[in-house]
């Protein structure tokens, strides 16, 4: 397996990888190693990548997850189904949400739904300062959903004012406004964004807005108290899925039976942030938060299916405490504690005339439950000599909850959550510095994947089910070959016991699985005007113990994902960027029948002209109008019944930003 993977990777280096650390006064297409927050830089050995504010400033997207298209090793499932729009994946876990595997945090606050989906559409690009992605299992800070890594998004707090207006293809209209101020000891910032657009396909229309504010007050040099509030709404119609041939011949069509598909999702997020330095060596951070998610969707998947109403109402409450103690210049201890309670109403009903029905088995799902998770970790870091640094950590998590299901007749059934005990997860990171230009790194970590919704509860033996344990490691090198060229390469493995895969909304077990991969990236400042960057990540997956599927690949995992980018400063005020985004196909089922779907090579380009008052941006996506699609197999095991959702064709936009 490893030899095949490495050979395919080396054969693909013509569309290779990347990352970049650039000076603030230069073009900044992508900032990666060395530009991340101090914790990631100092404590996590491996794949830490970041998108800079400069790159985010020129991005205009319907789906916020599209901002991740330049991050090494991130791949996509683009459903294009209204409020169910796009998902991303890393490290050989499905992007379509069938195996929740990555923790999302916005300003350090968890932002995953109960089932693990990442809710990013509450954000606009003009309100994001940076995006960091950590791929691996050695980060001890998080437990729930931190299976293969995490995404950290920081919103803006810089000073200044700007407003930006965008008009583009499919009648897209967008306006974003940001203001950051400082009044004595109070730093405060505000954002408002609105976007409305028709879609590439018929019966596609989105309307979204987001309003937020940040207030941080420095009581003393040692104590800061902050409050962040954000309210967002995303309303969208959906084009539905098409048969394979119709999707290829008429990609802009909507399925006739899907003319009523659509939905709305609302998000509210409120958080308090306290930072206090007891001494120069002892720091404490405390965060508390409340997140509300409400999602309603009307969907029909085929001509013979009924229109379903799907409704979720979720309230998440939590607290996160971190204590950092610099015992000695070469020794540090970190102690973290976190707890979260989720109150979830999850419903699916058959409908007649947009009215829910409770007879004839029309109650597909009517769950009301609480889900509580709490965990703690202790990490010890040491740098005994200038060429060696290491840290080890031990994390433990526990899960509690209560569950009630209501059937067609209105009868209620209470269930108990499985007793998973204390889920223990050791972590370790090692850095070696043989020279100023070379860093060797090794990491190891154990993480866990838990069942969710009804699958986490039972009316029987609460000890009959366990979480899936994931053990992963990575080894690699970061090498500054010369001042203008940086390289990074690594090999990683991750093995899971009794993995859960989502089928029709509920997880089932596929047994033991193995994932292996190779990542490679480069960043080359060719001269003062030209930067070339690229990245490629190859992945192989294998089901090891699931009967007839033993030896097969997991579904929806591309063999590779790659990006190649170029930034050229035509004249001092004009910058031209080109970005190739490539992804291989993948199987649509664990049986590996029907071939692979979803391969694409998309080329995007943009021009940025800096003026004395702001910036003008012209952006063209899918420049060569390549056909690509998301494919789902809705057939029963052993049969193939695919439905297809074509991606956007060529599209363009013009944006004008005014700074004052």
């Amino acid at each position: 397996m490893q030899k095949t993977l490495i050979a395919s990777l080396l054969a693909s280096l013509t569309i290779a990888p990347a990352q970049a650390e650039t000076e603030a006064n230069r073009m900044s297409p992508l900032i990666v190693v060395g530009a991340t927050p101090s914790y990631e830089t100092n404590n996590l050995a491996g794949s830490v990548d970041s998108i800079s504010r400069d790159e985010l400033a020129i991005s205009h997207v319907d789906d916020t997850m599209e901002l991740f298209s330049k991050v090494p090793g991130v791949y996509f499932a683009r459903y294009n189904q209204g409020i169910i729009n796009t998902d991303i994946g890393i490290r050989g876990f499905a992007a379509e949400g069938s195996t929740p595997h990555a923790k999302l945090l916005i300003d350090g606050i968890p932002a995953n739904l109960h089932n693990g989906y990442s809710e990013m559409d509450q954000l606009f690009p003009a309100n994001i300062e940076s995006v960091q992605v950590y791929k691996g299992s050695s980060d001890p800070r998080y437990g729930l959903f931190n299976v293969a890594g995490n995404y950290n998004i920081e919103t803006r707090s810089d000073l200044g004012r700007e407003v930006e207006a965008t008009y583009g293809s499919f009648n897209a209209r967008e306006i974003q406004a940001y203001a950051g101020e400082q009044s004595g000891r109070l730093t405060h910032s505000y954002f408002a964004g609105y976007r409305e657009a028709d879609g590439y396909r018929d019966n596609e229309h989105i309307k979204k807005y987001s309003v937020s504010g940040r207030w941080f007050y420095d009581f003393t040099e040692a104590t800061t108290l902050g409050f962040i509030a954000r309210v967002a709404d995303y309303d969208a119609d959906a084009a539905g899925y098409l048969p394979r041939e119709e999707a290829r011949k008429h990609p802009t069509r909507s399925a006739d039976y899907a003319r009523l598909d659509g939905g709305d999702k609302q998000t509210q997020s409120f958080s308090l942030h306290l930072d206090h330095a007891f001494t120069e060596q002892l720091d404490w951070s405390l965060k508390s938060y409340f997140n509300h998610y409400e999602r309603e969707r009307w969907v029909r998947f085929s001509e013979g299916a009924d229109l379903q109403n799907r409704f979720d109402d979720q309230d998440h409450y939590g607290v996160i405490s971190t204590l950092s103690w610099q015992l000695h210049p070469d020794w540090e201890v970190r102690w973290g504690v976190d707890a979260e309670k989720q109150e979830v109403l999850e419903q699916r009903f058959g409908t007649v005339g947009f009215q829910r029905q409770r007879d004839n088995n029309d109650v597909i799902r009517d769950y009301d439950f609480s889900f509580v998770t709490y965990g703690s970790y202790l990490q010890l870091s040491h740098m005994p000599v200038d060429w060696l640094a290491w840290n080890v950590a031990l994390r433990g998590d526990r899960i509690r909850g209560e569950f009630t299901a209501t059937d067609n007749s209105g009868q209620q059934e209470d269930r108990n959550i499985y007793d998973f005990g204390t889920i223990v997860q050791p972590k370790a990171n090692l850095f070696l510095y043989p020279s100023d230009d070379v860093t060797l790194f090794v990491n190891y970590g154990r993480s866990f994947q838990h069942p969710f919704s009804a699958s986490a509860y039972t009316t029987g033996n609460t000890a009959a089910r366990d979480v899936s344990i994931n053990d992963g490691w990575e080894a690699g090198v970061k090498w500054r070959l010369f001042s203008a060229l940086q390289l990074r390469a690594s090999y990683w493995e991750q093995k899971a016991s009794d993995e859960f895969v989502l089928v029709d909304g509920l997880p089932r077990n596929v047994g033991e699985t193995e994932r292996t991969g190779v990542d490679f990236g480069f960043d080359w400042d060719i001269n003062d005007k030209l930067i070339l960057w690229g990245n490629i990540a190859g992945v192989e997956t294998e089901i090891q113990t699931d009967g007839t599927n033993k030896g097969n690949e997991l579904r929806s995992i591309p063999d590779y994902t790659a990006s190649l980018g170029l930034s050229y400063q035509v004249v001092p005020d004009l910058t031209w960027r080109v970005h190739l985004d490539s992804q291989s196909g993948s199987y649509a089922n664990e049986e590996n029948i029907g071939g692979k779907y979803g391969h694409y090579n998309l080329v995007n380009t943009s021009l940025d002209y800096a003026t004395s008052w702001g910036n003008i941006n012209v952006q063209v996506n899918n420049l060569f109008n390549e056909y690509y699609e998301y494919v789902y197999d809705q057939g029963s095991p052993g049969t193939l019944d695919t439905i297809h959702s074509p991606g956007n064709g060529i599209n363009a936009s013009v944006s004008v930003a005014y700074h004052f």
Side-chain angles (χ1 to χ4, degrees):
M1 175 182 291
Q2 290 90 336
K3 291 182 179 179
T4 303
L5 182 60
I6 294 171
S8 64
L9 177 63
L10 294 175
S12 305
L13 289 182
T14 54
I15 51 172
Q19 285 110 286
E21 180 183 2
T22 58
E23 298 176 3
N25 62 346
R26 296 212 45 209
M27 299 174 292
S28 185
L30 183 64
I31 297 177
V32 185
V33 179
T36 50
S38 58
Y39 181 85
E40 285 84 353
T41 301
N42 296 332
N43 291 276
L44 298 180
S47 301
V48 183
D49 304 304
S50 176
I51 307 174
S52 71
R53 173 73 209 133
D54 289 346
E55 183 68 16
L56 294 164
I58 62 166
S59 301
H60 306 278
V61 293
D62 286 338
D63 306 327
T64 306
M65 287 189 186
E66 291 289 345
L67 298 175
F68 286 70
S69 64
K70 298 176 183 178
V71 177
V74 173
Y75 40 89
F76 289 78
R78 295 178 171 94
Y79 314 110
N80 296 320
Q81 299 300 313
I83 65 171
I84 307 298
N85 40 36
T86 302
D87 267 315
I88 54 179
I90 55 176
R91 288 289 156 101
F93 286 84
E96 62 181 19
S98 58
T99 51
H101 62 278
K103 185 80 168 180
L104 169 66
L105 300 106
I106 301 175
D107 295 317
I109 301 302
N112 296 87
L113 302 180
H114 168 76
N115 57 10
Y117 288 102
S118 299
E119 186 44 75
M120 296 187 196
D121 285 321
Q122 59 186 292
L123 298 174
F124 279 71
N127 193 33
I128 302 176
E129 177 62 31
S130 66
V131 173
Q132 287 91 33
V133 177
Y134 175 69
K135 300 185 293 293
S137 54
S138 69
D139 188 346
R141 292 174 297 172
Y142 318 116
L144 201 67
F145 299 124
N146 191 39
V147 182
N150 48 73
Y151 316 130
N152 276 275
I153 299 176
E154 294 292 328
T155 59
R156 292 177 65 180
S157 60
D158 55 306
L159 304 183
R161 301 175 181 176
E162 67 182 65
V163 61
E164 182 182 59
T166 300
Y167 183 78
S169 301
F170 320 135
N171 200 26
R173 294 95 71 198
E174 179 181 79
I175 187 164
Q176 303 178 86
Y178 173 82
E181 311 284 343
Q182 184 161 0
S183 306
R185 294 184 175 183
L186 178 66
T187 302
H188 48 117
S189 57
Y190 310 89
F191 174 82
Y194 178 84
R195 183 177 180 90
E196 186 170 2
D198 297 324
Y200 171 69
R201 299 175 61 196
D202 299 335
N203 196 48
E204 279 189 340
H205 182 82
I206 71 117
K207 183 167 57 177
K208 62 180 280 190
Y209 74 81
S210 178
V211 179
S212 63
R214 295 173 54 117
W215 299 265
F216 279 72
Y217 188 81
D218 296 326
F219 287 95
T220 66
E221 291 184 357
T223 305
T224 300
L225 180 64
F227 176 66
I228 301 176
R230 183 170 50 255
V231 176
D233 184 272
Y234 190 108
D235 184 276
D237 298 325
Y241 291 90
L242 297 171
R244 174 176 177 169
E245 293 307 316
E246 185 176 2
R248 284 163 169 71
K249 292 180 180 178
H250 306 286
T252 63
R253 283 185 181 176
S254 169
D256 182 64
Y257 62 79
R259 63 187 181 277
L260 300 178
D261 282 15
D264 179 82
K265 57 183 178 181
Q266 300 174 7
T267 306
Q268 292 94 45
S269 179
F270 307 94
S271 57
L272 280 171
H273 303 248
L274 174 65
D275 293 288
H276 178 67
F278 293 101
T279 67
E280 291 184 359
Q281 291 77 35
L282 186 62
D283 297 316
W284 182 46
S285 169
L286 179 68
K287 299 178 176 67
S288 62
Y289 61 91
F290 167 71
N291 293 333
H292 174 73
Y293 308 102
E294 184 176 307
R295 298 157 68 95
E296 184 167 33
R297 183 187 182 197
W298 303 85
V299 61
R300 190 177 175 190
F301 290 103
S302 65
E303 187 70 41
D306 294 326
L307 181 68
Q308 287 186 22
N309 173 252
R310 299 183 171 189
F311 180 76
D312 287 331
D313 187 287
Q314 304 186 22
D315 290 330
H316 296 196
Y317 312 82
V319 61
I320 303 169
S321 171
T322 307
L323 193 67
S324 301
W325 185 12
Q326 194 76 40
L327 298 169
H328 178 273
D330 299 331
W331 290 89
E332 183 183 21
V333 173
R334 289 175 62 92
W335 177 37
V337 178
D338 58 86
E340 180 175 277
K341 181 177 183 180
Q342 304 172 3
E343 297 285 354
V344 182
L345 179 66
E346 181 182 331
Q347 298 176 323
R348 294 185 182 184
F349 283 80
T351 67
V352 174
F354 280 95
Q355 296 296 316
R356 290 178 166 191
Q357 303 298 302
R358 270 202 175 270
D359 52 7
N360 299 320
N361 296 318
D362 283 315
V363 178
I364 304 167
R365 189 178 300 177
D366 190 358
Y367 304 150
D368 189 349
F369 59 93
S370 66
F371 185 88
V372 180
T373 176
Y374 49 94
S376 181
Y377 72 91
L378 190 66
Q379 182 182 54
L380 178 66
S381 303
H382 183 38
M383 189 171 186
V385 291
D386 59 6
W387 53 267
L388 172 66
W390 58 265
N391 62 71
V392 293
L394 190 65
R395 181 179 176 93
D397 288 272
R398 294 185 69 89
I399 297 173
R400 294 287 182 266
E402 299 176 346
F403 181 95
T404 299
T406 305
D407 63 16
N408 284 274
S409 64
Q411 294 294 314
Q412 293 187 337
E413 177 187 68
D414 294 330
R415 305 179 192 175
N416 297 316
I417 198 164
Y418 285 100
D419 184 3
F420 302 114
T422 300
I423 308 164
V424 179
Q425 307 138 71
K427 317 272 188 176
N429 295 273
L430 174 68
F431 303 84
L432 296 171
Y433 309 101
S435 74
D436 292 340
D437 298 322
V438 177
T439 300
L440 303 175
F441 60 87
V442 179
N443 67 53
Y444 163 79
R446 171 170 291 180
S447 58
F448 71 94
Q449 183 190 44
H450 68 286
F452 52 86
S453 186
S455 298
Y457 304 83
T458 180
T459 56
N461 180 10
T462 59
R465 191 173 207 180
D466 203 354
V467 297
S468 175
I469 295 298
N470 292 260
D471 286 300
W473 66 272
E474 180 177 15
V477 59
K478 302 170 188 176
W479 184 15
R480 184 181 293 274
L481 195 58
F482 47 87
S483 61
L485 178 62
Q486 300 175 82
L487 305 175
R488 186 182 73 190
S490 68
Y491 173 82
W492 59 268
E493 291 186 1
Q494 190 158 346
K495 296 183 179 182
S497 66
D498 210 19
E499 181 168 326
F500 305 114
V501 174
L502 198 67
V503 177
D504 194 27
L506 294 174
R508 68 177 178 87
N509 297 100
V510 295
E512 294 181 5
T513 59
E514 181 182 35
R515 295 166 169 85
T516 59
V518 183
D519 292 355
F520 178 79
F522 76 88
D523 165 51
W524 187 10
D525 292 6
I526 298 174
N527 55 45
D528 290 341
K529 295 184 177 182
L530 182 62
I531 294 175
L532 183 66
W533 61 268
N535 60 72
I536 188 167
V539 178
E540 286 194 357
T541 66
E542 182 180 337
I543 300 171
Q544 296 187 316
T545 60
D546 185 28
T548 57
N549 294 330
K550 184 176 182 179
N552 289 357
E553 296 181 23
L554 288 159
R555 64 183 167 101
S556 303
I557 313 298
D559 297 322
Y560 74 85
T561 179
S563 287
L564 184 66
L566 177 148
S567 294
Y568 180 62
Q569 201 162 15
V570 183
V571 295
D573 294 328
L574 181 64
T575 301
W576 173 48
R577 291 178 173 88
V578 179
H579 170 220
L580 167 66
D581 184 21
S582 179
Q583 184 171 305
S584 74
S586 59
Y587 290 109
N589 47 62
E590 277 77 26
E591 291 85 1
N592 291 181
I593 60 175
K596 293 188 174 183
Y597 300 89
H599 174 267
Y600 60 74
N601 292 289
L602 303 179
V603 177
N604 305 322
T605 187
S606 67
L607 285 171
D608 286 278
Y609 182 70
T611 70
S612 59
W613 44 263
N615 185 73
I616 300 172
N617 170 264
V618 178
Q619 176 178 305
V620 181
N621 299 319
N622 196 1
L623 179 64
F624 299 109
N625 200 33
E626 176 167 330
Y627 177 85
Y628 63 104
E629 62 183 353
Y630 169 75
V631 178
Y632 182 75
D633 180 14
Q634 59 179 357
S636 57
T639 64
L640 186 70
D641 182 13
T642 58
I643 51 179
H644 301 248
S645 178
N648 292 342
I650 185 172
N651 60 94
S653 65
V654 178
S655 302
V656 179
Y658 180 65
H659 303 273
F660 57 100

